[in-house]
Amino acid sequence: MRIVARREWTPRGGHVIDWVADEHTVAAATIAAAGEPHPVGPSFLQRDHITAVAATRASGRTHRAYTCAAVTVAGTLDEPRMTLALNGFLRDHHGLRSTFRTSGNEITRHVVDAQDIALRAHHRDIADHEIAGHVDMRLSSEAVFDSFPGVIFGAIVRDDSFDLYFGIDHAFGDGSSQVTGLAEILARYGGRDVPVAGSHIDYVAAEFAAATRVGSSSPELDEWVEALRPTGGRLPAFALDLGLDDGEPQPVRIRRAQLADADDAEAIAHAASAAGTGFTAAVYAALAVTDRHLSGRDSYCTATVLSTRSAEHTSSQGWYCTFAPVAFDVRGAEVIDVLADAANGLARARRLARTPAHAALGHLIAARRLDPAVLASPQMVSYLDFRWFPGQRELADAVLFTGEGRTRNASLWISRDHDGLWIATQCPDNPIARESVTRYFDTLRATLATMVTSPMSARACAAPALGIGA
């Protein structure tokens, strides 16, 4: 599994099949949307997302706030079996049966009964060179929060193989959900039993309950303030110039690169373990050293995306994420020098992630303890290790991509798979930003390489990894 730009997904031509809601499902969704709303509304993240998508629509811009996962499957497509798999998948995930409606500032959730859902295969004659445009059209017009379903399924079929894709409005899932969802669909298609536990709607209800327990004197608020103190209560922007005009968002360009091959990634893991930390700490330590080299900052701060999935929700579909600040001093020019501080910064971020970020920030901003700008297009970093996801054999060559809208930052998606360590970003599409991102990637790659050649790494490679630390 690899995070790529949409333009990098280039399936071979073939016969196109779209799975779409049948007439009964469309009617049931219309009735549900006109009826009483579900008592559990959108999550905090869903509300932010839906508000932004609605604003995009009102401005006349194309909806790009979606994600999509795709994989090539060997063999002839069994259409009835795939239809059965997709119907079971959609019916069994409570969150995916939701549709949302907006009225002014109010956003309500409406849920379609599982028994009222049926997808049918719709065959299309589309020229090979127009298939990518067709998928783009479906993602921007069908994978939307107030469509039903707000997810799309499709295949490009050939005699010896087919490409399966699964796209969602971001309101209905995150990157992890896309990977586990694709794995589940293939498992169902293969006739394997797939137990589904946990409802995203129940998760949202629990999140709301947790938010009510946060008060103006909650200790985690002090930790937020302390984490952001070196930056004056704000999250810093990307380390290099992104060529923005008056800070206004620009159309994005997704850039990606490999930071380390599989052997070097393992050497980095061994070196981090020998230092008493873990691979994730090594990644953030390398980011901090890179930032210091490029910007001169002697403290590092970013917002990190953290999973909030509990064991109960491992196989659920939904947006199981929060964000928290990762902040620590950069007391050295080598990754090894910064590992312990990076591990401590990550530990604090994970501790803060137990409290809904929106609840904490609401209290802090109301009390003027944090700058409201902390919410405005923050610099974000996420890290995913795809090696631990289900369906590794079937998803080895799968891809994950997002819509390309507008941005004023260059958030980083870092991922590890069996081929090594990778980085991707959505940055403004201008020459200055392109040069800055290239320079940043090159510097980060060189920074990580010092762990491979360091004496610490050499000693660690001779011993088994300890597997401790962040």
Side-chain angles (χ1 to χ4, degrees), residues 384-451:
L384 280 174
D385 191 335
F386 289 124
R387 297 173 305 156
W388 308 115
F389 280 77
Q392 281 299 299
R393 181 178 59 82
E394 295 170 306
L395 298 182
D397 296 321
V399 297
L400 176 65
F401 58 87
T402 70
E404 300 178 17
R406 298 171 67 83
T407 187
R408 59 167 62 92
N409 224 318
S411 291
L412 305 175
W413 308 320
I414 301 174
S415 59
R416 188 179 179 188
D417 61 17
H418 291 289
D419 293 325
L421 185 67
W422 304 82
I423 188 169
T425 185
Q426 281 190 337
C427 68
D429 189 12
N430 65 67
I432 293 174
R434 288 194 291 271
E435 192 280 330
S436 292
V437 167
T438 298
R439 185 181 170 198
Y440 190 94
F441 284 3
D442 289 346
T443 306
L444 179 58
R445 186 185 298 109
T447 300
L448 283 163
T450 63
M451 293 192 71

Side-chain angles (χ1 to χ4, degrees), residues 44-68:
F44 295 114
L45 284 175
Q46 285 176 322
R47 179 174 294 278
D48 288 348
H49 169 86
I50 291 167
T51 300
V53 172
T56 295
R57 175 186 290 166
S59 71
R61 299 196 305 273
T62 302
H63 166 57
R64 300 291 184 197
Y66 52 72
T67 69
C68 187

Side-chain angles (χ1 to χ4, degrees), residues 22-356:
D22 70 5
E23 292 81 0
H24 174 77
T25 302
V26 172
T30 301
I31 293 170
E36 287 295 313
H38 193 280
V40 179
S43 71
F44 295 114
L45 284 175
Q46 285 176 322
R47 179 174 294 278
D48 288 348
H49 169 86
I50 291 167
T51 300
V53 172
T56 295
R57 175 186 290 166
S59 71
R61 299 196 305 273
T62 302
H63 166 57
R64 300 291 184 197
Y66 52 72
T67 69
C68 187
V71 65
T72 301
V73 182
T76 303
L77 173 69
D78 185 327
E79 182 187 312
R81 189 151 52 102
M82 182 60 77
T83 301
L84 184 66
L86 295 175
N87 274 310
F89 176 76
L90 185 57
R91 290 168 184 158
D92 285 351
H93 287 287
H94 203 185
L96 297 185
R97 292 193 278 112
S98 296
T99 183
F100 295 95
R101 290 295 180 269
T102 60
S103 178
N105 293 324
E106 184 181 14
I107 304 174
T108 55
R109 179 197 301 269
H110 304 262
V111 180
V112 180
D113 289 340
Q115 64 188 17
D116 290 326
I117 293 175
L119 302 177
R120 61 179 177 84
H122 183 64
H123 294 251
R124 297 185 182 275
D125 292 320
I126 298 176
D128 289 353
H129 70 278
E130 294 178 344
I131 291 175
H134 172 70
V135 175
D136 282 342
M137 179 275 297
R138 292 198 70 200
L139 286 165
S140 60
S141 62
E142 298 177 46
V144 191
F145 68 88
D146 55 0
S147 294
F148 189 83
V151 302
I152 64 169
F153 308 100
I156 301 126
V157 183
R158 300 168 291 271
D159 291 339
D160 60 345
S161 65
F162 60 93
D163 288 289
L164 174 70
Y165 66 86
F166 160 44
I168 60 173
D169 183 299
H170 207 336
F172 297 111
D174 49 29
S176 295
S177 289
Q178 285 268 264
V179 179
T180 59
L182 199 58
E184 181 184 328
I185 291 167
L186 292 178
R188 288 175 180 268
Y189 177 69
R192 299 191 293 278
D193 183 43
V194 182
V196 175
S199 160
H200 186 257
I201 297 178
D202 292 343
Y203 163 81
V204 174
E207 182 185 52
F208 289 157
T212 64
R213 294 191 290 271
V214 180
S216 57
S217 60
S218 295
E220 54 266 38
L221 303 188
D222 293 333
E223 290 205 76
W224 268 91
V225 172
E226 181 60 29
L228 298 179
R229 191 183 306 282
T231 61
R234 304 182 58 149
L235 291 170
F238 188 66
L240 297 172
D241 185 6
L242 292 175
L244 299 175
D245 297 323
D246 298 323
E248 289 300 308
Q250 294 182 7
V252 306
R253 179 78 169 179
I254 294 180
R255 305 283 303 281
R256 75 180 186 96
Q258 187 170 26
L259 296 173
D261 62 21
D263 290 340
D264 285 351
E266 194 60 26
I268 292 167
H270 281 307
S273 179
T277 65
F279 190 84
T280 310
V283 168
Y284 281 85
L287 291 169
V289 171
T290 297
D291 259 38
R292 179 179 180 177
H293 179 77
L294 295 175
S295 69
R297 296 192 287 244
D298 58 6
S299 63
Y300 179 72
C301 182
T302 190
T304 191
V305 181
L306 294 166
S307 173
T308 53
R309 287 179 182 272
S310 63
E312 177 189 358
H313 293 271
T314 301
S315 60
S316 301
Q317 286 291 299
W319 203 349
Y320 289 91
C321 285
T322 190
F323 61 92
V326 176
F328 51 91
D329 292 332
V330 187
R331 296 183 284 199
E334 300 291 336
V335 177
I336 293 295
D337 302 329
V338 186
L339 273 173
D341 287 324
N344 289 334
L346 281 167
R348 176 168 59 185
R350 288 168 179 148
R351 189 165 59 249
L352 292 176
R354 298 170 191 161
T355 299

